[in-house]
Structures are given as C-alpha cells and as structure tokens.
Amino acid sequence: MPDKVVADAASAVADVRPGSTVAVGGFGLAGIPWFLIEALLEQGADDLTVVSNNCGVDGGGLGLLLEQRRISRVIASYVGENKEFARQYLAGEVTVELTPQGTLAERLRAGGAGIGAFFTPTGVGTVVAEGGLPWRYRPDGSVALASPAKEVRTIAGRAMVLEESIVADVALVRAAVADRAGNCRFHRSARNFNPAVATSGRLTIVEAERLVEVGDLDPDDVHLPGVFVQRVVPLTPDQASRKEIEKRTIRERRA
C-alpha cells in the first residue's frame, strides 16, 4: 500500500504551476483547507482559475490569494461576504463564472466520474441557459465578457440545459481523518463540497486533522476512497484546532 503522506503543506503544493485550475473544498469557512491555501500563497503560483463554492472572506481562506492578485478566474456559486471579491469583479479585475450551487457540485462530481457533460433543469429560462450573465466587466461598468448560450433539450417532457463537467489540475481538501493511503472521513457539515472537489482533481491534496494507519478506518466510515488522493498532509494539533467562524451572530437569552 503506497504511503501518500508528505512532510508539510509547502512540499505538497510545491509543483503547482501558474495558470493551473485549482478546485478547493469548503463552504464559507467550514471545511476549507486553510494551510494548503496559505502554502499556495507562499509558493507564488498566479493566474489561477479557482473552482470553489465561494472565494473565502476578506483576509482569510481563498480571500488571501485574491488579495494578492493570484486569481484571474473564479467559478463559484456566490460572492458571499468577501467585499474584495465583489470589488474586483465589478471593477473588471477578475473573471467570475457564477454557477447554481447544485450544478457546481454536479459539475465537479461528474468531472471526477469521467462524465463530460450532463443535462439539468436548473437554469432553464434564465440567463444561465440563455447566456448574457456578466463574467467580466470593464472598468467603466460595461460588460467585457458574458456567458454564452447553452444547449437546451427536452428530455422526458422537461426542458433541460447542458452543463459541462469540471476537471481540475489540482484539488485542495480538508478532512477530519485520513489514513496513509489517502482514505478520508469528514466531520459533519465540513464534508460539504470536499468529496466532489477531491474527485475532480488530477492531483488531489488533503490536509488531515488526524492521521491514522491503514486499517484504522472502518470501510463504512470512509467518505472519500484513497484512490482519488495523491498526497496527505497531517496537521499538528494546534493546526487542526483552527476553525474560524465567518459571521458570529448572538441573541440575548429570554428570562
């Protein structure tokens, strides 16, 4: 059984090339690969196309790469709370391909399954199917690049739009537990986009909060088989405990 453990995050991302398409797991800040993202920032690769549910937050996660102008294109389902992401998009500094959330998840999953494209009813009758969604603006606010129209076909009496799958050069993932062969288990909501992102990557790198030996994970507890993983980075206990909250809201207790 191959041992896929590497020394640290810097070693794991050392060969990521400029211009790569990088798929990144997580939803908001839940389940994002904090240390792989920061290692990629230090590594210096730029002109990246990032595929993720959103682009982190100001000062955190993928927001760090965005602030350093390392990202030229984002394929995501929403802008979220990242003000710098919104500013760069509206100023024409980054290309943003907004995609319905479920469609994005399926595009990633399909890419990992070897499916080139699929039909879905999501987006029929909207700019998602008809085209014209602004992907990139000019500095004066006019549209420099808009989404193209997509094929719409009637299947079983229902109109559906053709969506192409996504295969990433590199996938960055955060797991709760991984063994040395790359088998992974995620923790509750942190599972989110991580399995689909992992399968979509030609090179998949996992940062694991806890590393175990092969055989310690019950096969029924494996959410991501190691066949999809090439590198595993074990985190220290201090690193594993890093779990920030995107927006904290509280309310007073009633007497």
Side-chain angles (χ1 to χ4, degrees):
M1 184 70 67
D3 190 333
K4 300 177 181 179
V5 174
V6 297
D8 50 39
S11 302
V13 303
D15 55 355
V16 177
R17 298 179 178 180
S20 295
T21 295
V22 182
V24 182
F27 186 106
L29 297 182
I32 70 170
W34 290 96
F35 297 96
L36 291 174
I37 292 171
E38 291 175 3
L40 187 58
L41 179 70
E42 293 297 320
Q43 188 257 29
D46 60 4
D47 191 26
L48 300 173
T49 293
V50 166
V51 186
S52 188
N53 182 59
N54 58 295
C55 204
V57 298
D58 294 294
L62 288 170
L64 297 174
L65 288 169
L66 193 72
E67 289 167 6
Q68 294 298 315
R69 302 295 196 275
R70 301 289 179 78
I71 300 174
S72 59
R73 183 184 183 93
V74 179
I75 302 175
S77 72
Y78 77 113
V79 173
E81 300 294 325
N82 193 325
K83 293 182 176 61
E84 176 61 14
F85 185 21
R87 190 201 66 76
Q88 287 191 27
Y89 174 43
L90 295 175
E93 298 173 8
V94 65
T95 300
V96 180
E97 182 180 339
L98 290 174
T99 303
Q101 194 169 84
T103 299
L104 178 61
E106 182 61 11
R107 290 179 68 189
L108 289 161
R109 190 206 66 82
I115 298 169
F118 58 92
F119 282 94
T120 173
T122 303
V124 171
T126 73
V127 290
V128 170
E130 296 169 359
L133 185 67
W135 279 1
R136 191 179 187 98
Y137 287 98
R138 296 186 180 91
D140 64 6
S142 61
V143 176
L145 178 66
S147 64
K150 300 173 183 176
E151 179 184 349
V152 175
R153 186 182 301 182
T154 300
I155 300 175
R158 191 173 186 185
M160 297 194 181
V161 59
L162 182 68
E163 293 282 358
E164 295 183 1
S165 63
I166 295 173
V167 177
D169 298 310
V170 182
L172 306 180
V173 173
R174 170 85 170 234
V177 185
D179 67 19
R180 290 183 174 274
N183 299 299
C184 297
R185 179 160 59 86
F186 303 97
H187 183 66
R188 298 186 178 179
S189 63
R191 187 172 177 178
N192 51 60
F193 273 79
N194 276 300
V197 161
T199 62
S200 77
R202 294 186 178 96
L203 167 64
T204 295
I205 308 170
V206 174
E207 64 176 52
E209 295 174 16
R210 182 162 65 94
L211 178 69
V212 298
E213 298 302 317
V214 175
D216 287 350
L217 279 173
D218 188 288
D220 285 339
D221 288 337
V222 173
H223 297 147
L224 174 68
V227 68
F228 292 107
V229 177
Q230 284 70 51
R231 299 172 188 171
V232 176
V233 179
L235 301 180
T236 67
D238 285 344
Q239 290 174 325
S241 66
R242 178 177 172 182
K243 295 174 183 177
E244 299 180 19
I245 296 173
E246 185 169 351
K247 180 184 289 188
R248 186 187 299 273
T249 58
I250 60 173
R251 62 183 174 86
E252 295 182 1
R253 291 184 178 272
R254 293 182 177 178

